[in-house]
Amino acid sequence: MSSKDILKVVPLLERLSLIRFGNESGVKRLREAIDFADQLKDINVDGVEPMISPNETKCTFLRQDTATHTDKQDITQNAKFLVEGYFVAPNQ
């Protein structure tokens, strides 16, 4: 990646990663990340089929749930505290 390309990408990377590359340690970290990712270009993928997600070719439906009627008293009986019929969360 050329220096000109890096200058275009840096503001986007800073915004996405919340790391500022304006200092020497940030620039060093960015260069190390780019060098690490560039190793992927050296991998021989001849004869390797692209991976296909099973969800790309077929629809996966959720199971059919049946609703069951529950009484408010059945639900609230598990609460430790209730105020006007509502659950109360502890104050730490």
Side-chain angles (χ1 to χ4, degrees):
M1 183 176 272
S2 70
S3 296
K4 189 175 183 180
D5 293 336
I6 290 176
L7 291 176
K8 290 178 183 176
V9 174
V10 166
L12 176 64
L13 291 175
E14 284 182 339
R15 193 176 72 215
L16 292 174
S17 68
L18 301 177
I19 297 172
R20 297 290 167 239
F21 299 115
N23 56 30
E24 220 25 65
S25 65
V27 172
K28 180 182 175 196
R29 183 179 300 167
L30 176 61
R31 289 194 187 282
E32 289 171 354
I34 292 171
D35 291 341
F36 181 78
D38 278 344
Q39 295 175 24
L40 294 173
K41 294 178 184 176
D42 299 331
I43 297 173
N44 183 6
V45 292
D46 293 338
V48 177
E49 292 287 326
M51 188 177 89
I52 298 174
S53 172
N55 292 331
E56 291 177 0
T57 58
K58 68 175 188 174
C59 294
T60 306
F61 298 103
L62 299 176
R63 68 175 190 264
Q64 291 293 328
D65 286 338
T66 56
T68 57
H69 179 71
T70 54
D71 191 283
K72 181 180 177 180
Q73 290 179 345
D74 292 340
I75 296 171
T76 57
Q77 73 182 1
N78 296 322
K80 191 169 185 177
F81 301 107
L82 287 174
V83 173
E84 296 180 6
Y86 292 97
F87 289 94
V88 178
N91 287 341
Q92 308 236 0

